Amino acid sequence: MRVLLGALLIFIFFANSLIAEDNFPLIPKATGKPHPEGNEFIRINHMDLLRHDRDLVVKEGIRNIDNSLAQCVTCHVVRDENNEPVTYESEEYFCRVCHDYVAVKLDCFTCHNSVPSAEVSISLFRDENAPFERLMAYLEEKDNDR
Ligand code: HEC
Ligand code: HEC
Ligand code: HEC
């Protein structure tokens, strides 16, 4: 019985490390408050949230948005050994860790700053009145279009 259990544990251990190494990139830790919708939600929907809020800013001139790139890169900053923020050029850059893995390439940072900027007055607190309903309505609309 012991031996069986031991074998099982060893198996689980190796299966785990295999999955960890082969199937998932190591996502850098973030600073600030986590997403109230949860990691799972943001993982699946971040691109739509960004597009939605870009359209609000660029097309409708609404600047009070919840998903600005400047905010993403502030909370998700990755620092090098000199404590300097790494840019999108680096393979360790937060957005690239997953994207490189799934072969997604972004052109966003040819225009947008990929490191936190002192000039951007952003808060690391979340707006409790964030337009979450508006986002959900948008996502549902998109689903219906499919
Ligand atoms: C207020 C700080 C903050 C802002 C702003 C922010 N995030 Fe996050 N984000 C977090 C935290 C904290 C987590 C949880 C990280 C963890 O578990 O290590 C997280 C998790 C994530 C995850 C999931 C990571 C994982 O481990 O699966 C993704 C993807 C993500 N954020 C993308 C974004 C994008 C895109 C933006 C901009 C639209 C953004 N975040 C803005 C703090 C922030
Ligand atoms: C050709 C240049 C260019 C590229 C490429 C670009 N943007 Fe933008 N983006 C802009 C400009 C200009 C604005 C308006 C900025 C302003 O008025 O503050 C903007 C605004 C935004 C905003 C709202 C403001 C903010 O601070 O976040 C979001 C979100 C956004 N873009 C997301 C993206 C994403 C995601 C990509 C890549 C898929 C992208 N953009 C690629 C030029 C660009
Ligand atoms: C947890 C993994 C993960 C992280 C971290 C992550 N992404 Fe993504 N992102 C993905 C995946 C997977 C896709 C492709 C989804 C698809 O093909 O439908 C994607 C796609 C995108 C797209 C759409 C690209 C296109 O060509 O249409 C944008 C924009 C985007 N991510 C922005 C960001 C930004 C900005 C960050 C960093 C702040 C980030 N992502 C961090 C997993 C991640």
Side-chain angles (χ1 to χ4, degrees):
M1 190 60 206
R2 274 242 178 101
V3 174
L4 256 182
L5 208 65
L8 191 69
L9 281 178
I10 288 169
F11 174 77
I12 290 173
F13 178 79
F14 279 109
N16 252 337
S17 64
L18 276 182
I19 290 170
E21 272 168 30
D22 291 351
N23 291 347
F24 299 116
L26 216 57
I27 303 169
K29 284 270 166 247
T31 51
K33 276 201 200 172
H35 299 264
E37 310 88 21
N39 277 3
E40 174 86 19
F41 177 89
I42 194 82
R43 246 181 260 145
I44 296 170
N45 293 305
H46 63 276
M47 51 308 267
D48 292 331
L49 302 183
L50 278 166
R51 282 198 203 99
H52 173 264
D53 285 13
R54 175 200 56 202
D55 291 353
L56 282 184
V57 171
V58 177
K59 295 189 184 152
E60 297 176 38
I62 299 168
R63 293 192 161 272
N64 181 20
I65 54 167
D66 200 33
N67 297 282
S68 92
L69 268 178
Q71 290 183 350
C72 315
V73 305
T74 299
C75 284
H76 287 290
V77 64
V78 173
R79 293 181 182 276
D80 64 16
E81 59 277 8
N82 301 321
N83 208 28
E84 294 293 329
V86 302
T87 67
Y88 189 67
E89 298 298 309
S90 164
E91 284 181 8
E92 287 164 33
Y93 192 72
F94 174 74
C95 310
R96 279 191 58 181
V97 171
C98 294
H99 291 174
D100 285 0
Y101 192 78
V102 293
V104 166
K105 258 200 146 77
L106 295 187
D107 68 351
C108 318
F109 297 114
T110 54
C111 297
H112 290 269
N113 197 350
S114 69
V115 296
S117 148
E119 284 152 43
V120 190
S121 69
I122 62 138
S123 68
L124 294 187
F125 324 102
R126 292 186 182 281
D127 178 3
E128 299 303 333
N129 305 310
F132 190 59
E133 278 79 30
R134 216 156 53 188
L135 288 170
M136 292 313 287
Y138 168 82
L139 291 175
E140 261 162 40
E141 206 177 288
K142 257 189 51 113
D143 274 347
N144 292 339
D145 287 350
R146 277 192 194 127

PDB file of all heavy atoms in Angstrom, residues 101-134:
ATOM      1  N   TYR A 101       4.203  32.821 -26.452  1.00  0.00           N
ATOM      2  CA  TYR A 101       3.834  31.413 -26.305  1.00  0.00           C
ATOM      3  C   TYR A 101       2.762  31.000 -27.310  1.00  0.00           C
ATOM      4  O   TYR A 101       2.801  29.904 -27.854  1.00  0.00           O
ATOM      5  CB  TYR A 101       3.339  31.192 -24.877  1.00  0.00           C
ATOM      6  CG  TYR A 101       3.196  29.749 -24.511  1.00  0.00           C
ATOM      7  CD1 TYR A 101       4.307  28.987 -24.193  1.00  0.00           C
ATOM      8  CD2 TYR A 101       1.936  29.153 -24.484  1.00  0.00           C
ATOM      9  CE1 TYR A 101       4.177  27.665 -23.867  1.00  0.00           C
ATOM     10  CE2 TYR A 101       1.797  27.825 -24.153  1.00  0.00           C
ATOM     11  CZ  TYR A 101       2.915  27.086 -23.841  1.00  0.00           C
ATOM     12  OH  TYR A 101       2.781  25.783 -23.515  1.00  0.00           O
ATOM     13  N   VAL A 102       1.772  31.906 -27.537  1.00  0.00           N
ATOM     14  CA  VAL A 102       0.687  31.558 -28.462  1.00  0.00           C
ATOM     15  C   VAL A 102       0.878  32.240 -29.818  1.00  0.00           C
ATOM     16  O   VAL A 102      -0.033  32.261 -30.642  1.00  0.00           O
ATOM     17  CB  VAL A 102      -0.703  31.925 -27.889  1.00  0.00           C
ATOM     18  CG1 VAL A 102      -1.044  31.065 -26.697  1.00  0.00           C
ATOM     19  CG2 VAL A 102      -0.781  33.397 -27.516  1.00  0.00           C
ATOM     20  N   ALA A 103       2.081  32.822 -30.028  1.00  0.00           N
ATOM     21  CA  ALA A 103       2.408  33.463 -31.309  1.00  0.00           C
ATOM     22  C   ALA A 103       1.464  34.604 -31.660  1.00  0.00           C
ATOM     23  O   ALA A 103       1.007  34.727 -32.796  1.00  0.00           O
ATOM     24  CB  ALA A 103       2.459  32.421 -32.425  1.00  0.00           C
ATOM     25  N   VAL A 104       1.150  35.430 -30.660  1.00  0.00           N
ATOM     26  CA  VAL A 104       0.412  36.672 -30.921  1.00  0.00           C
ATOM     27  C   VAL A 104       1.443  37.792 -30.945  1.00  0.00           C
ATOM     28  O   VAL A 104       2.331  37.848 -30.102  1.00  0.00           O
ATOM     29  CB  VAL A 104      -0.615  36.960 -29.801  1.00  0.00           C
ATOM     30  CG1 VAL A 104      -1.126  38.398 -29.872  1.00  0.00           C
ATOM     31  CG2 VAL A 104      -1.778  35.988 -29.886  1.00  0.00           C
ATOM     32  N   LYS A 105       1.347  38.677 -31.927  1.00  0.00           N
ATOM     33  CA  LYS A 105       2.249  39.832 -31.974  1.00  0.00           C
ATOM     34  C   LYS A 105       1.429  41.103 -31.907  1.00  0.00           C
ATOM     35  O   LYS A 105       0.477  41.266 -32.666  1.00  0.00           O
ATOM     36  CB  LYS A 105       3.054  39.805 -33.277  1.00  0.00           C
ATOM     37  CG  LYS A 105       4.473  39.308 -33.082  1.00  0.00           C
ATOM     38  CD  LYS A 105       5.361  39.732 -34.223  1.00  0.00           C
ATOM     39  CE  LYS A 105       6.771  40.012 -33.741  1.00  0.00           C
ATOM     40  NZ  LYS A 105       7.577  38.863 -33.490  1.00  0.00           N
ATOM     41  N   LEU A 106       1.794  41.994 -30.990  1.00  0.00           N
ATOM     42  CA  LEU A 106       1.065  43.253 -30.845  1.00  0.00           C
ATOM     43  C   LEU A 106       1.819  44.377 -31.546  1.00  0.00           C
ATOM     44  O   LEU A 106       3.036  44.436 -31.479  1.00  0.00           O
ATOM     45  CB  LEU A 106       0.927  43.630 -29.371  1.00  0.00           C
ATOM     46  CG  LEU A 106       0.104  42.764 -28.445  1.00  0.00           C
ATOM     47  CD1 LEU A 106      -0.013  43.448 -27.093  1.00  0.00           C
ATOM     48  CD2 LEU A 106      -1.279  42.497 -29.023  1.00  0.00           C
ATOM     49  N   ASP A 107       1.065  45.286 -32.182  1.00  0.00           N
ATOM     50  CA  ASP A 107       1.721  46.493 -32.700  1.00  0.00           C
ATOM     51  C   ASP A 107       1.444  47.690 -31.784  1.00  0.00           C
ATOM     52  O   ASP A 107       1.905  48.788 -32.036  1.00  0.00           O
ATOM     53  CB  ASP A 107       1.253  46.792 -34.128  1.00  0.00           C
ATOM     54  CG  ASP A 107      -0.217  47.217 -34.167  1.00  0.00           C
ATOM     55  OD1 ASP A 107      -0.909  47.118 -33.131  1.00  0.00           O
ATOM     56  OD2 ASP A 107      -0.681  47.641 -35.240  1.00  0.00           O
ATOM     57  N   CYS A 108       0.698  47.458 -30.726  1.00  0.00           N
ATOM     58  CA  CYS A 108       0.258  48.550 -29.837  1.00  0.00           C
ATOM     59  C   CYS A 108       1.425  49.425 -29.377  1.00  0.00           C
ATOM     60  O   CYS A 108       1.317  50.648 -29.325  1.00  0.00           O
ATOM     61  CB  CYS A 108      -0.414  47.998 -28.592  1.00  0.00           C
ATOM     62  SG  CYS A 108      -1.541  46.627 -28.883  1.00  0.00           S
ATOM     63  N   PHE A 109       2.550  48.791 -29.073  1.00  0.00           N
ATOM     64  CA  PHE A 109       3.633  49.539 -28.428  1.00  0.00           C
ATOM     65  C   PHE A 109       4.545  50.245 -29.424  1.00  0.00           C
ATOM     66  O   PHE A 109       5.562  50.808 -29.052  1.00  0.00           O
ATOM     67  CB  PHE A 109       4.399  48.618 -27.476  1.00  0.00           C
ATOM     68  CG  PHE A 109       3.517  48.111 -26.365  1.00  0.00           C
ATOM     69  CD1 PHE A 109       3.196  46.763 -26.270  1.00  0.00           C
ATOM     70  CD2 PHE A 109       2.962  48.989 -25.436  1.00  0.00           C
ATOM     71  CE1 PHE A 109       2.355  46.293 -25.257  1.00  0.00           C
ATOM     72  CE2 PHE A 109       2.120  48.533 -24.425  1.00  0.00           C
ATOM     73  CZ  PHE A 109       1.814  47.179 -24.337  1.00  0.00           C
ATOM     74  N   THR A 110       4.174  50.222 -30.701  1.00  0.00           N
ATOM     75  CA  THR A 110       4.863  51.116 -31.625  1.00  0.00           C
ATOM     76  C   THR A 110       4.379  52.544 -31.364  1.00  0.00           C
ATOM     77  O   THR A 110       5.077  53.494 -31.660  1.00  0.00           O
ATOM     78  CB  THR A 110       4.596  50.734 -33.099  1.00  0.00           C
ATOM     79  OG1 THR A 110       3.187  50.679 -33.300  1.00  0.00           O
ATOM     80  CG2 THR A 110       5.194  49.395 -33.444  1.00  0.00           C
ATOM     81  N   CYS A 111       3.164  52.692 -30.867  1.00  0.00           N
ATOM     82  CA  CYS A 111       2.636  54.022 -30.529  1.00  0.00           C
ATOM     83  C   CYS A 111       2.563  54.230 -29.019  1.00  0.00           C
ATOM     84  O   CYS A 111       2.886  55.293 -28.528  1.00  0.00           O
ATOM     85  CB  CYS A 111       1.237  54.208 -31.102  1.00  0.00           C
ATOM     86  SG  CYS A 111       1.153  54.153 -32.899  1.00  0.00           S
ATOM     87  N   HIS A 112       2.088  53.239 -28.317  1.00  0.00           N
ATOM     88  CA  HIS A 112       1.890  53.385 -26.869  1.00  0.00           C
ATOM     89  C   HIS A 112       3.177  53.088 -26.111  1.00  0.00           C
ATOM     90  O   HIS A 112       3.934  52.201 -26.506  1.00  0.00           O
ATOM     91  CB  HIS A 112       0.794  52.428 -26.386  1.00  0.00           C
ATOM     92  CG  HIS A 112      -0.572  52.809 -26.845  1.00  0.00           C
ATOM     93  ND1 HIS A 112      -1.406  53.630 -26.124  1.00  0.00           N
ATOM     94  CD2 HIS A 112      -1.257  52.492 -27.980  1.00  0.00           C
ATOM     95  CE1 HIS A 112      -2.551  53.795 -26.777  1.00  0.00           C
ATOM     96  NE2 HIS A 112      -2.492  53.115 -27.911  1.00  0.00           N
ATOM     97  N   ASN A 113       3.357  53.812 -25.027  1.00  0.00           N
ATOM     98  CA  ASN A 113       4.492  53.590 -24.155  1.00  0.00           C
ATOM     99  C   ASN A 113       4.353  52.220 -23.464  1.00  0.00           C
ATOM    100  O   ASN A 113       3.306  51.928 -22.906  1.00  0.00           O
ATOM    101  CB  ASN A 113       4.503  54.709 -23.110  1.00  0.00           C
ATOM    102  CG  ASN A 113       5.830  54.832 -22.419  1.00  0.00           C
ATOM    103  OD1 ASN A 113       6.705  53.975 -22.572  1.00  0.00           O
ATOM    104  ND2 ASN A 113       5.984  55.886 -21.639  1.00  0.00           N
ATOM    105  N   SER A 114       5.406  51.435 -23.485  1.00  0.00           N
ATOM    106  CA  SER A 114       5.279  50.104 -22.882  1.00  0.00           C
ATOM    107  C   SER A 114       5.748  50.065 -21.429  1.00  0.00           C
ATOM    108  O   SER A 114       5.665  49.039 -20.770  1.00  0.00           O
ATOM    109  CB  SER A 114       6.022  49.053 -23.714  1.00  0.00           C
ATOM    110  OG  SER A 114       7.415  49.220 -23.642  1.00  0.00           O
ATOM    111  N   VAL A 115       6.276  51.180 -20.946  1.00  0.00           N
ATOM    112  CA  VAL A 115       6.694  51.231 -19.536  1.00  0.00           C
ATOM    113  C   VAL A 115       5.886  52.301 -18.807  1.00  0.00           C
ATOM    114  O   VAL A 115       5.371  53.215 -19.439  1.00  0.00           O
ATOM    115  CB  VAL A 115       8.214  51.498 -19.384  1.00  0.00           C
ATOM    116  CG1 VAL A 115       9.027  50.364 -19.972  1.00  0.00           C
ATOM    117  CG2 VAL A 115       8.594  52.826 -20.004  1.00  0.00           C
ATOM    118  N   PRO A 116       5.778  52.191 -17.489  1.00  0.00           N
ATOM    119  CA  PRO A 116       5.012  53.195 -16.754  1.00  0.00           C
ATOM    120  C   PRO A 116       5.593  54.585 -16.996  1.00  0.00           C
ATOM    121  O   PRO A 116       6.796  54.751 -17.049  1.00  0.00           O
ATOM    122  CB  PRO A 116       5.220  52.792 -15.290  1.00  0.00           C
ATOM    123  CG  PRO A 116       5.607  51.369 -15.315  1.00  0.00           C
ATOM    124  CD  PRO A 116       6.333  51.158 -16.606  1.00  0.00           C
ATOM    125  N   SER A 117       4.719  55.546 -17.185  1.00  0.00           N
ATOM    126  CA  SER A 117       5.171  56.909 -17.413  1.00  0.00           C
ATOM    127  C   SER A 117       4.770  57.791 -16.246  1.00  0.00           C
ATOM    128  O   SER A 117       3.652  57.723 -15.750  1.00  0.00           O
ATOM    129  CB  SER A 117       4.556  57.432 -18.713  1.00  0.00           C
ATOM    130  OG  SER A 117       4.335  58.818 -18.614  1.00  0.00           O
ATOM    131  N   ALA A 118       5.695  58.626 -15.829  1.00  0.00           N
ATOM    132  CA  ALA A 118       5.431  59.495 -14.689  1.00  0.00           C
ATOM    133  C   ALA A 118       4.326  60.493 -15.012  1.00  0.00           C
ATOM    134  O   ALA A 118       3.648  60.988 -14.127  1.00  0.00           O
ATOM    135  CB  ALA A 118       6.697  60.231 -14.292  1.00  0.00           C
ATOM    136  N   GLU A 119       4.169  60.781 -16.308  1.00  0.00           N
ATOM    137  CA  GLU A 119       3.202  61.809 -16.689  1.00  0.00           C
ATOM    138  C   GLU A 119       1.762  61.327 -16.614  1.00  0.00           C
ATOM    139  O   GLU A 119       0.858  62.129 -16.470  1.00  0.00           O
ATOM    140  CB  GLU A 119       3.461  62.273 -18.127  1.00  0.00           C
ATOM    141  CG  GLU A 119       4.660  63.184 -18.240  1.00  0.00           C
ATOM    142  CD  GLU A 119       5.294  63.065 -19.605  1.00  0.00           C
ATOM    143  OE1 GLU A 119       4.531  63.031 -20.592  1.00  0.00           O
ATOM    144  OE2 GLU A 119       6.531  62.966 -19.670  1.00  0.00           O
ATOM    145  N   VAL A 120       1.601  60.022 -16.779  1.00  0.00           N
ATOM    146  CA  VAL A 120       0.232  59.525 -16.771  1.00  0.00           C
ATOM    147  C   VAL A 120      -0.282  59.516 -15.340  1.00  0.00           C
ATOM    148  O   VAL A 120       0.281  58.851 -14.482  1.00  0.00           O
ATOM    149  CB  VAL A 120       0.162  58.094 -17.334  1.00  0.00           C
ATOM    150  CG1 VAL A 120      -1.276  57.674 -17.545  1.00  0.00           C
ATOM    151  CG2 VAL A 120       0.937  58.004 -18.623  1.00  0.00           C
ATOM    152  N   SER A 121      -1.317  60.283 -15.118  1.00  0.00           N
ATOM    153  CA  SER A 121      -1.863  60.282 -13.771  1.00  0.00           C
ATOM    154  C   SER A 121      -2.893  59.177 -13.689  1.00  0.00           C
ATOM    155  O   SER A 121      -4.041  59.333 -14.035  1.00  0.00           O
ATOM    156  CB  SER A 121      -2.514  61.616 -13.451  1.00  0.00           C
ATOM    157  OG  SER A 121      -3.665  61.755 -14.233  1.00  0.00           O
ATOM    158  N   ILE A 122      -2.416  58.026 -13.294  1.00  0.00           N
ATOM    159  CA  ILE A 122      -3.355  56.922 -13.189  1.00  0.00           C
ATOM    160  C   ILE A 122      -3.411  56.481 -11.744  1.00  0.00           C
ATOM    161  O   ILE A 122      -2.482  56.695 -10.985  1.00  0.00           O
ATOM    162  CB  ILE A 122      -2.952  55.729 -14.064  1.00  0.00           C
ATOM    163  CG1 ILE A 122      -1.614  55.195 -13.590  1.00  0.00           C
ATOM    164  CG2 ILE A 122      -2.948  56.075 -15.506  1.00  0.00           C
ATOM    165  CD1 ILE A 122      -1.616  53.721 -13.574  1.00  0.00           C
ATOM    166  N   SER A 123      -4.481  55.907 -11.391  1.00  0.00           N
ATOM    167  CA  SER A 123      -4.561  55.450 -10.018  1.00  0.00           C
ATOM    168  C   SER A 123      -4.447  53.948  -9.999  1.00  0.00           C
ATOM    169  O   SER A 123      -4.876  53.262 -10.919  1.00  0.00           O
ATOM    170  CB  SER A 123      -5.886  55.863  -9.404  1.00  0.00           C
ATOM    171  OG  SER A 123      -6.913  55.156 -10.016  1.00  0.00           O
ATOM    172  N   LEU A 124      -3.817  53.447  -8.978  1.00  0.00           N
ATOM    173  CA  LEU A 124      -3.741  52.014  -8.832  1.00  0.00           C
ATOM    174  C   LEU A 124      -4.947  51.499  -8.048  1.00  0.00           C
ATOM    175  O   LEU A 124      -5.048  50.339  -7.731  1.00  0.00           O
ATOM    176  CB  LEU A 124      -2.447  51.617  -8.130  1.00  0.00           C
ATOM    177  CG  LEU A 124      -1.193  51.921  -8.935  1.00  0.00           C
ATOM    178  CD1 LEU A 124       0.025  51.351  -8.253  1.00  0.00           C
ATOM    179  CD2 LEU A 124      -1.299  51.361 -10.339  1.00  0.00           C
ATOM    180  N   PHE A 125      -5.834  52.403  -7.751  1.00  0.00           N
ATOM    181  CA  PHE A 125      -7.083  51.997  -7.121  1.00  0.00           C
ATOM    182  C   PHE A 125      -8.074  51.828  -8.240  1.00  0.00           C
ATOM    183  O   PHE A 125      -7.995  52.513  -9.240  1.00  0.00           O
ATOM    184  CB  PHE A 125      -7.600  53.081  -6.181  1.00  0.00           C
ATOM    185  CG  PHE A 125      -6.529  53.798  -5.475  1.00  0.00           C
ATOM    186  CD1 PHE A 125      -6.137  55.049  -5.891  1.00  0.00           C
ATOM    187  CD2 PHE A 125      -5.889  53.212  -4.406  1.00  0.00           C
ATOM    188  CE1 PHE A 125      -5.114  55.706  -5.254  1.00  0.00           C
ATOM    189  CE2 PHE A 125      -4.867  53.863  -3.769  1.00  0.00           C
ATOM    190  CZ  PHE A 125      -4.481  55.117  -4.188  1.00  0.00           C
ATOM    191  N   ARG A 126      -8.974  50.937  -8.041  1.00  0.00           N
ATOM    192  CA  ARG A 126      -9.957  50.766  -9.080  1.00  0.00           C
ATOM    193  C   ARG A 126     -11.155  51.642  -8.816  1.00  0.00           C
ATOM    194  O   ARG A 126     -11.542  51.865  -7.680  1.00  0.00           O
ATOM    195  CB  ARG A 126     -10.378  49.313  -9.166  1.00  0.00           C
ATOM    196  CG  ARG A 126      -9.229  48.510  -9.652  1.00  0.00           C
ATOM    197  CD  ARG A 126      -9.626  47.100  -9.903  1.00  0.00           C
ATOM    198  NE  ARG A 126      -8.460  46.365 -10.337  1.00  0.00           N
ATOM    199  CZ  ARG A 126      -7.985  46.422 -11.562  1.00  0.00           C
ATOM    200  NH1 ARG A 126      -8.593  47.140 -12.476  1.00  0.00           N
ATOM    201  NH2 ARG A 126      -6.922  45.746 -11.884  1.00  0.00           N
ATOM    202  N   ASP A 127     -11.713  52.161  -9.909  1.00  0.00           N
ATOM    203  CA  ASP A 127     -12.902  52.979  -9.809  1.00  0.00           C
ATOM    204  C   ASP A 127     -14.081  52.057  -9.506  1.00  0.00           C
ATOM    205  O   ASP A 127     -14.455  51.216 -10.308  1.00  0.00           O
ATOM    206  CB  ASP A 127     -13.112  53.691 -11.147  1.00  0.00           C
ATOM    207  CG  ASP A 127     -14.372  54.528 -11.147  1.00  0.00           C
ATOM    208  OD1 ASP A 127     -15.034  54.593 -10.099  1.00  0.00           O
ATOM    209  OD2 ASP A 127     -14.666  55.100 -12.200  1.00  0.00           O
ATOM    210  N   GLU A 128     -14.630  52.222  -8.324  1.00  0.00           N
ATOM    211  CA  GLU A 128     -15.714  51.319  -7.935  1.00  0.00           C
ATOM    212  C   GLU A 128     -16.944  51.517  -8.832  1.00  0.00           C
ATOM    213  O   GLU A 128     -17.786  50.648  -8.944  1.00  0.00           O
ATOM    214  CB  GLU A 128     -16.109  51.533  -6.465  1.00  0.00           C
ATOM    215  CG  GLU A 128     -14.971  51.270  -5.471  1.00  0.00           C
ATOM    216  CD  GLU A 128     -14.366  49.869  -5.566  1.00  0.00           C
ATOM    217  OE1 GLU A 128     -15.081  48.946  -5.985  1.00  0.00           O
ATOM    218  OE2 GLU A 128     -13.177  49.708  -5.235  1.00  0.00           O
ATOM    219  N   ASN A 129     -17.014  52.702  -9.480  1.00  0.00           N
ATOM    220  CA  ASN A 129     -18.149  52.951 -10.380  1.00  0.00           C
ATOM    221  C   ASN A 129     -17.762  52.681 -11.831  1.00  0.00           C
ATOM    222  O   ASN A 129     -18.302  53.289 -12.737  1.00  0.00           O
ATOM    223  CB  ASN A 129     -18.615  54.395 -10.247  1.00  0.00           C
ATOM    224  CG  ASN A 129     -18.935  54.738  -8.812  1.00  0.00           C
ATOM    225  OD1 ASN A 129     -19.660  53.996  -8.163  1.00  0.00           O
ATOM    226  ND2 ASN A 129     -18.385  55.818  -8.312  1.00  0.00           N
ATOM    227  N   ALA A 130     -16.769  51.815 -12.006  1.00  0.00           N
ATOM    228  CA  ALA A 130     -16.299  51.542 -13.361  1.00  0.00           C
ATOM    229  C   ALA A 130     -17.454  51.055 -14.233  1.00  0.00           C
ATOM    230  O   ALA A 130     -18.380  50.417 -13.737  1.00  0.00           O
ATOM    231  CB  ALA A 130     -15.205  50.490 -13.313  1.00  0.00           C
ATOM    232  N   PRO A 131     -17.369  51.375 -15.499  1.00  0.00           N
ATOM    233  CA  PRO A 131     -18.487  51.067 -16.393  1.00  0.00           C
ATOM    234  C   PRO A 131     -18.555  49.593 -16.736  1.00  0.00           C
ATOM    235  O   PRO A 131     -18.507  49.206 -17.886  1.00  0.00           O
ATOM    236  CB  PRO A 131     -18.195  51.916 -17.627  1.00  0.00           C
ATOM    237  CG  PRO A 131     -16.720  52.077 -17.628  1.00  0.00           C
ATOM    238  CD  PRO A 131     -16.280  52.065 -16.203  1.00  0.00           C
ATOM    239  N   PHE A 132     -18.644  48.762 -15.720  1.00  0.00           N
ATOM    240  CA  PHE A 132     -18.595  47.322 -15.931  1.00  0.00           C
ATOM    241  C   PHE A 132     -19.817  46.825 -16.713  1.00  0.00           C
ATOM    242  O   PHE A 132     -19.705  45.980 -17.594  1.00  0.00           O
ATOM    243  CB  PHE A 132     -18.491  46.600 -14.591  1.00  0.00           C
ATOM    244  CG  PHE A 132     -18.194  45.136 -14.732  1.00  0.00           C
ATOM    245  CD1 PHE A 132     -17.053  44.716 -15.381  1.00  0.00           C
ATOM    246  CD2 PHE A 132     -19.069  44.184 -14.234  1.00  0.00           C
ATOM    247  CE1 PHE A 132     -16.781  43.363 -15.533  1.00  0.00           C
ATOM    248  CE2 PHE A 132     -18.799  42.844 -14.377  1.00  0.00           C
ATOM    249  CZ  PHE A 132     -17.646  42.432 -15.030  1.00  0.00           C
ATOM    250  N   GLU A 133     -20.990  47.379 -16.407  1.00  0.00           N
ATOM    251  CA  GLU A 133     -22.204  46.960 -17.124  1.00  0.00           C
ATOM    252  C   GLU A 133     -22.059  47.252 -18.613  1.00  0.00           C
ATOM    253  O   GLU A 133     -22.459  46.463 -19.451  1.00  0.00           O
ATOM    254  CB  GLU A 133     -23.446  47.687 -16.595  1.00  0.00           C
ATOM    255  CG  GLU A 133     -24.027  47.068 -15.333  1.00  0.00           C
ATOM    256  CD  GLU A 133     -23.254  47.454 -14.094  1.00  0.00           C
ATOM    257  OE1 GLU A 133     -22.675  48.573 -14.090  1.00  0.00           O
ATOM    258  OE2 GLU A 133     -23.198  46.653 -13.145  1.00  0.00           O
ATOM    259  N   ARG A 134     -21.450  48.413 -18.891  1.00  0.00           N
ATOM    260  CA  ARG A 134     -21.266  48.802 -20.283  1.00  0.00           C
ATOM    261  C   ARG A 134     -20.367  47.789 -20.986  1.00  0.00           C
ATOM    262  O   ARG A 134     -20.616  47.388 -22.116  1.00  0.00           O
ATOM    263  CB  ARG A 134     -20.613  50.192 -20.318  1.00  0.00           C
ATOM    264  CG  ARG A 134     -21.096  51.046 -21.449  1.00  0.00           C
ATOM    265  CD  ARG A 134     -20.913  52.518 -21.152  1.00  0.00           C
ATOM    266  NE  ARG A 134     -19.533  52.808 -20.759  1.00  0.00           N
ATOM    267  CZ  ARG A 134     -19.142  53.988 -20.301  1.00  0.00           C
ATOM    268  NH1 ARG A 134     -20.005  54.968 -20.174  1.00  0.00           N
ATOM    269  NH2 ARG A 134     -17.895  54.185 -19.967  1.00  0.00           N
TER     270      ARG A 134
END
